[in-house]
């Protein structure tokens, strides 16, 4: 059995693997959470995906890796940035998409997509945990609830509170202070979700608002995050059926299409599509980028 294609997205908190057949149909899609940039998690996700697809690694005709830990993934042909792979995957999952908002465990990004589903521009925050899954973990810990309860709590909030700190290091103290002042958990959760949406709007502003809008990444499972983003954008925001595997799906599609040609068409360059390193003291500044090359 041959003609299968593999996409691996080794992110900051999860490993995602998608297997496609020769026709481009998804035969397996696995998400494994086993710690930060976990090689063990990656291996486990690979094993599960191959088993679900009923193939072995010898049946894989092409494989591409993406994500934070893409250079740690063994046995792949090439690796590409999340920008390229998320754009490719989102365009396939949601034909006609023009703006992709991806919020993962440790980063967030806005990707402008043209009418052919290729990257036009993007902005990315991967140096600060504000507005990411990590930030929602801080919120859940502060108000003593499970992550799965956050959406319902936030959607039940009806009072806007000022959340001045968007730094994951200091926000917990501020949230605990709000609780001490007698503020409801629902209102705190809603206010943090609004603040995150506003933060994300800053990324979107750098690439330009457009629609249709698709939200991907683990945070897309949070209905309140989607709701407040749509409210902030004043636009409908749709979520694919499997928003967490978008990058892995895009990587698998690139492997199937021919990695070199597809990546060049998506604006990939030899320069890694990431922001220049920056300190927490400048975390309120987001560096715009264009087609994989950081803008000075």
């Amino acid at each position: 059995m041959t003609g299968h294609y593999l996409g691996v997205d080794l992110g900051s908190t999860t490993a995602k693997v998608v297997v496609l057949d020769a026709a481009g149909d998804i035969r397996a899609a696995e998400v494994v959470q086993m710690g930060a940039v976990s090689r063990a998690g990656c291996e486990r996700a690979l094993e599960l995906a191959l088993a679900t697809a009923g193939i072995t690694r010898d049946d894989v005709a092409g494989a591409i890796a993406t994500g934070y830990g893409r250079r740690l993934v063994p046995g792949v042909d090439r690796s590409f940035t999340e920008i390229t792979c998320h754009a490719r995957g989102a365009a396939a999952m949601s034909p006609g998409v023009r703006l992709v908002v991806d919020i993962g465990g440790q980063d967030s990004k806005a990707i402008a997509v043209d009418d052919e589903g290729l990257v036009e521009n993007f902005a990315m925050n991967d140096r600060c945990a504000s507005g990411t899954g990590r930030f929602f973990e801080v919120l859940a810990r502060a108000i003593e609830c499970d992550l799965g309860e956050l959406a319902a709590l936030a959607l039940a909030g009806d009072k806007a509170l000022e959340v001045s700190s968007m730094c994951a290091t200091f926000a917990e103290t501020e949230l605990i202070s709000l609780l001490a002042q007698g503020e409801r958990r629902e209102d705190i959760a809603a206010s943090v979700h609004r603040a995150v949406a506003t933060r994300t709007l800053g990324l979107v502003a750098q690439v330009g608002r457009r629609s249709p809008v698709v939200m991907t990444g683990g945070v897309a499972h949070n209905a309140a995050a989607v709701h407040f983003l749509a409210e902030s954008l004043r636009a409908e925001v749709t979520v694919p059926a499997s928003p967490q595997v978008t990058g892995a799906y895009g990587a698998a599609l690139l492997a199937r299409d021919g990695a070199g040609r597809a990546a060049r068409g998506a604006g990939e360059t030899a320069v890694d599509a990431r922001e220049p390193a920056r300190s927490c003291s400048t975390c309120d500044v987001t560096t715009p980028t264009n087609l994989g090359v950081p803008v000075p």
Side-chain angles (χ1 to χ4, degrees):
M1 189 185 301
T2 59
H4 286 76
Y5 301 89
L6 198 66
V8 183
D9 180 0
L10 182 52
S12 59
T13 59
T14 56
K16 287 81 67 175
V17 176
V18 167
V19 177
L20 302 181
D21 62 18
D25 295 324
I26 296 177
R27 292 306 178 191
E30 300 291 341
V31 179
V32 172
Q33 184 163 0
M34 293 183 65
V37 197
S38 171
R39 292 185 190 226
C42 180
E43 189 61 33
R44 179 61 178 156
L46 281 165
E47 290 175 356
L48 288 172
L50 292 173
T52 299
I55 63 173
T56 69
R57 297 197 186 199
D58 292 337
D59 300 315
V60 175
I64 286 180
T66 189
Y68 265 52
R70 58 187 177 274
R71 294 180 181 85
L72 303 177
V73 180
V76 296
D77 302 311
R78 299 189 67 177
S79 64
F80 292 108
T81 68
E82 301 98 307
I83 302 300
T84 296
C85 293
H86 274 86
R88 181 72 175 89
M93 286 181 171
S94 304
V97 62
R98 292 295 178 269
L99 177 65
V100 180
V101 176
D102 180 79
I103 305 180
Q106 295 282 3
D107 71 15
S108 54
K109 42 194 170 282
I111 309 170
V113 181
D114 68 13
D115 57 4
E116 295 183 357
L118 304 179
V119 177
E120 281 191 338
N121 197 3
F122 70 90
M124 185 174 184
N125 170 30
D126 68 344
R127 303 297 179 182
C128 175
S130 67
T132 68
R134 170 63 179 151
F135 195 79
F136 287 114
E137 289 176 3
V138 170
L139 168 62
R141 184 168 62 244
I143 64 177
E144 297 183 332
C145 75
D146 293 331
L147 275 172
E149 300 177 82
L150 274 183
L153 283 171
L155 292 172
D158 56 14
K159 180 180 179 182
L161 304 172
E162 182 179 354
V163 180
S164 58
S165 177
M166 284 299 290
C167 176
T169 304
F170 302 111
E172 188 167 9
T173 299
E174 182 177 1
L175 300 181
I176 292 172
S177 176
L178 289 172
L179 286 171
Q181 294 169 29
E183 302 294 353
R184 298 191 311 144
R185 295 194 307 163
E186 293 86 347
D187 295 329
I188 293 172
S191 298
V192 170
H193 279 72
R194 286 193 189 94
V196 168
T198 300
R199 179 80 172 189
T200 305
L201 192 61
L203 287 177
V204 173
Q206 294 183 50
V207 303
R209 295 195 196 190
R210 58 193 72 194
S211 60
V213 184
V214 170
M215 185 173 177
T216 63
V219 174
H221 288 297
N222 180 329
V226 178
H227 168 78
F228 286 109
L229 177 62
E231 185 179 81
S232 183
L233 289 172
R234 298 180 183 177
E236 181 181 2
V237 175
T238 60
V239 178
S242 303
Q244 211 165 355
V245 301
T246 308
Y249 180 43
L253 287 170
L254 288 172
R256 176 175 174 268
D257 294 346
R261 175 181 57 80
R264 285 194 299 274
E268 187 73 21
T269 73
V271 180
D272 210 14
R274 289 196 174 277
E275 296 175 300
R278 65 181 189 228
S279 67
C280 267
S281 63
T282 60
C283 67
D284 59 337
V285 178
T286 307
T287 305
T289 50
N290 183 33
L291 301 181
V293 182
V295 176

